[in-house]
């Protein structure tokens, strides 16, 4: 599968056992679910708790998935604020058969536009793979200016942008500055709005728990054929962010029997969500919607 043709990338959770260690058996289960649905797989993003894992654990996760030889393309998250560490991580993954990298804006340090441009350029220089830049100011504390994306657009490893600011105006600004660059929605609920203005696809949290249904949602939204499902998907996505992501997704995945434990790495904990009933209701409604759309 050519990764550039993938319209839906799942920001995969990293399953853990009750003691907080990576659960590789459950990892294979959810990788195979995504593979069966034809979704791209993003490892070790914020949904995958990449920053909560040691470098050894991150390496083991990527190695484990690549040994599964999935038919789905694989993208690996790169995030932090230590340049050398990120370059070493990219260098390690360069030696594996991954397809692409997701480069998040530098965390915590809140750089200006010159520092941010140099940061991304050096990371892309280090990479042997195409790169998706990731604008998510709610987590990083800083937005990627559209002009910076424009300056970087000629780099041979500049492939695309994931826009997750939650702002349609921000999305439009990127589209105006780099009209030919593929831009993916990083927000499940905003996909229909982004799709109406030419986005290329979705990097999804919801696809963890609804892999096939989310694929159909993306197909309909990009084709301008999503009608009655828009409000349903908005509410469904909201349940997955009722507390910090990926807490609800892990709880629902355990309820579905796809992973063995909802445990996360602190400071995240599944104890934050005390009422599972909205999740279970959303799960039933989304799956019923998918059955109707499929038939």
């Amino acid at each position: 599968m050519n990764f550039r043709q993938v319209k839906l990338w799942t920001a995969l959770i990293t399953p853990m056992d009750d003691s907080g260690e990576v659960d590789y058996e459950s990892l294979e289960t959810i990788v195979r679910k995504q593979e069966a649905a034809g979704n791209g797989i993003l490892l070790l993003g914020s949904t995958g708790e990449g920053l909560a894992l040691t470098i050894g654990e991150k390496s083991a996760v990527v190695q484990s998935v690549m040994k599964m030889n999935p038919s789905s393309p694989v993208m690996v998250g790169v995030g932090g604020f230590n340049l050398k560490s990120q370059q070493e991580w990219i260098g390690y993954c360069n030696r594996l058969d991954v397809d692409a990298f997701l480069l998040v804006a530098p965390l915590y340090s809140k750089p200006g536009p010159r520092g941010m441009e140099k940061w991304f350029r050096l990371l892309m220089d280090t990479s042997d793979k195409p790169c998706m830049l990731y604008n998510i100011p709610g987590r990083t504390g800083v937005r990627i200016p559209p002009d910076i994306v424009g300056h970087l657009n000629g780099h041979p490893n500049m492939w695309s942008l994931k826009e997750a600011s939650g702002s349609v105006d921000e999305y439009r600004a990127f589209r105006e500055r780099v009209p030919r660059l593929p831009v993916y929605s990083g927000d499940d609920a905003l996909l229909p709005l982004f799709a109406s203005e030419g986005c290329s696809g979705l990097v999804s949290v919801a696809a963890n728990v609804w892999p096939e249904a989310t694929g159909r949602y993306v197909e309909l939204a990009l084709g301008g054929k999503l009608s009655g499902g828009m409000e349903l998907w908005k509410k469904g996505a909201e349940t997955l962010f009722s507390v910090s992501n990926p807490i609800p997704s892990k709880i629902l995945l355990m309820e579905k029997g796809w992973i063995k434990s909802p445990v996360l790495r602190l400071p995240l904990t599944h104890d934050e969500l005390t009422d599972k009933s909205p999740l279970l209701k959303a799960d039933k409604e989304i799956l019923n919607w998918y059955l109707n759309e499929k038939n």
Side-chain angles (χ1 to χ4, degrees):
M1 186 189 304
N2 185 336
F3 77 93
R4 296 179 188 272
Q5 297 174 348
V6 173
K7 303 301 182 184
L8 171 59
W9 290 87
T10 302
L12 201 71
I13 65 110
T14 302
M16 297 171 188
D17 61 25
D18 287 337
S19 64
E21 299 302 314
V22 177
D23 176 359
Y24 292 98
E25 184 178 348
S26 293
L27 178 61
E28 179 161 13
T29 297
I30 60 176
V31 165
R32 297 305 182 196
K33 295 284 186 183
Q34 299 302 324
E35 181 182 40
N39 303 337
I41 297 168
L42 167 62
L43 298 174
L44 303 172
S46 51
T47 302
E49 299 176 80
L51 293 175
L53 302 182
T54 68
I55 186 67
E57 289 171 324
K58 289 168 59 176
S59 302
V61 166
V62 178
Q63 283 188 17
S64 176
V65 171
M66 300 318 297
K67 286 179 180 177
M68 298 174 200
N69 194 28
S71 58
S72 297
V74 175
M75 178 162 43
V76 175
V78 178
F81 58 86
N82 183 292
L83 178 63
K84 184 177 179 181
S85 294
Q86 305 317 306
Q87 289 176 311
E88 289 174 350
W89 174 237
I90 290 172
Y92 171 80
C93 292
N94 278 338
R95 301 192 294 271
L96 304 174
D97 196 24
V98 303
D99 294 277
F101 292 111
L102 178 74
L103 309 182
V104 69
L107 307 179
Y108 187 73
S109 52
K110 300 181 72 172
R114 292 183 181 180
M116 192 178 301
E117 181 176 347
K118 290 180 179 179
W119 167 274
F120 282 126
R121 194 175 296 279
L122 286 169
L123 293 182
M124 287 194 289
D125 287 346
T126 305
S127 174
D128 292 340
K129 320 283 184 180
C131 297
M132 175 187 282
L133 272 56
Y134 184 10
N135 185 47
I136 182 163
R139 284 191 180 267
T140 63
V142 64
R143 62 186 287 270
I144 303 175
D147 279 347
I148 297 307
V149 178
H151 296 161
L152 295 168
N153 196 28
H155 194 287
N157 284 329
M158 180 71 172
W159 157 45
S160 61
L161 174 75
K162 176 184 176 184
E163 164 41 32
S165 68
S167 166
V168 176
D169 289 339
E170 191 103 342
Y171 167 80
R172 288 173 179 151
F174 284 118
R175 292 289 297 169
E176 290 173 6
R177 183 64 178 83
V178 281
R180 296 184 180 179
L181 182 74
V183 180
Y184 290 73
S185 174
D187 187 317
D188 288 279
L190 288 180
L191 175 66
L193 292 175
F194 285 12
S196 69
E197 302 196 28
C199 84
S200 294
L202 173 67
V203 182
S204 173
V205 172
N208 277 284
V209 295
W210 305 307
E212 294 91 355
T214 308
R216 183 62 175 152
Y217 168 62
V218 171
E219 180 183 4
L220 292 173
L222 294 181
K225 298 178 181 178
L226 184 69
S227 53
M230 191 178 301
E231 187 62 26
L232 173 68
W233 274 94
K234 180 176 181 292
K235 290 181 179 178
E238 286 173 353
T239 66
L240 297 179
F241 289 86
S242 57
V243 293
S244 294
N245 174 50
I247 295 169
S249 293
K250 281 197 165 185
I251 289 173
L252 186 51
L253 284 169
M254 189 192 72
E255 291 291 326
K256 294 162 84 74
W258 295 3
I259 64 175
K260 299 171 189 174
S261 172
V263 164
L264 301 97
R265 291 279 172 91
L266 289 170
L268 298 181
T269 172
H270 63 283
D271 295 333
E272 301 285 1
L273 189 65
T274 56
D275 182 5
K276 293 182 289 190
S277 58
L279 272 178
L280 299 176
K281 181 174 184 287
D283 185 50
K284 182 177 180 180
E285 290 175 346
I286 292 289
L287 293 180
N288 284 339
W289 173 89
Y290 176 60
L291 289 174
N292 290 330
E293 284 295 333
K294 191 171 65 167
N295 297 328

